[in-house]
Amino acid sequence: MKKILIMLMLLAPMATFAQKFGHVDAQSIMQSMPEFIKARGDLEALSKQYENDLKAMQDEIQRKADEYEKTKSTMNATKQQETETNLNQLMQKYQQAYQDNQQELAKQQQEKMAPIMNKITTAIKNVGKNGGYVYIMDVSAGIPYISDTLSKDVTADVKAEVNKIK
């Protein structure tokens, strides 16, 4: 009985080392996905549209402000007050549009990226289960060092699994 207990104690640490660990670069996988490339293009186009809209508003405000400065001396106090109020309203409208655009862009990014991240996560889980891995780390999360002898790079396996998932 004592011999069995000693043998179990000696083999227990070896069982710990037999566990499989993997690492993956989810960022590189995501960047190679057609869905990500399309989503990134859509988001860049939307961002450019918002920039153009804001630039047009900004140009209009600047034009009206310049016009006001040129004609200010010939205006009566009531007209000056009215013009200044209109300029302030345009500035508030510009600031609100900027905030609305930023919120909409963030919302669109979340909506477009969530299915892509879910697909990658599902693929990582599938590779982990099928390969018998205890843990798969994402190196794109900023892990400074991973031992190649204790951890296998499963990025290619996950890419292949992502391509299988529709």
Side-chain angles (χ1 to χ4, degrees):
M1 180 73 169
K2 204 176 200 184
K3 289 181 185 180
I4 293 174
L5 186 61
I6 291 174
M7 194 162 63
L8 284 174
M9 288 174 59
L10 290 175
L11 293 178
M14 293 175 68
T16 305
F17 289 112
Q19 296 175 342
K20 289 174 66 175
F21 296 92
H23 58 274
V24 64
D25 187 353
Q27 193 71 30
S28 72
I29 293 170
M30 183 171 40
Q31 290 176 350
S32 69
M33 293 173 66
E35 303 99 299
F36 174 77
I37 295 167
K38 181 183 181 329
R40 184 176 58 194
D42 292 347
L43 290 169
E44 286 173 358
L46 185 61
S47 177
K48 188 68 173 165
Q49 176 189 341
Y50 288 160
E51 282 179 35
N52 291 339
D53 293 348
L54 290 173
K55 178 76 169 115
M57 289 176 77
Q58 198 174 30
D59 290 345
E60 179 185 357
I61 292 169
Q62 187 62 48
R63 183 182 55 79
K64 288 186 177 188
D66 291 345
E67 182 181 312
Y68 170 69
E69 287 299 320
K70 288 178 187 174
T71 60
K72 180 179 175 181
S73 59
T74 61
M75 292 181 182
N76 62 33
T78 307
K79 184 66 175 166
Q80 283 182 357
Q81 183 66 33
E82 185 181 302
T83 305
E84 288 173 5
T85 301
N86 286 340
L87 285 172
N88 285 334
Q89 287 174 346
L90 285 174
M91 277 303 294
Q92 289 174 353
K93 185 179 175 183
Y94 172 83
Q95 290 171 347
Q96 186 62 47
Y98 176 80
Q99 289 176 353
D100 291 346
N101 290 352
Q102 292 299 314
Q103 289 173 351
E104 181 61 25
L105 203 54
K107 179 183 168 195
Q108 288 294 320
Q109 182 174 5
Q110 176 64 29
E111 287 177 7
K112 291 181 182 298
M113 299 309 288
I116 295 168
M117 290 307 299
N118 288 340
K119 191 173 183 180
I120 292 172
T121 301
T122 300
I124 291 171
K125 287 177 181 178
N126 291 346
V127 167
K129 286 177 188 172
N130 295 338
Y133 291 92
V134 173
Y135 191 89
I136 297 179
M137 294 174 264
D138 184 2
V139 295
S140 61
I143 299 170
Y145 173 75
I146 295 176
S147 170
D148 288 335
T149 57
L150 296 178
S151 177
K152 179 184 178 205
D153 185 357
V154 294
T155 302
D157 299 337
V158 174
K159 276 185 183 180
E161 187 66 27
V162 163
N163 292 331
K164 290 179 190 177
I165 300 172
K166 294 297 170 191

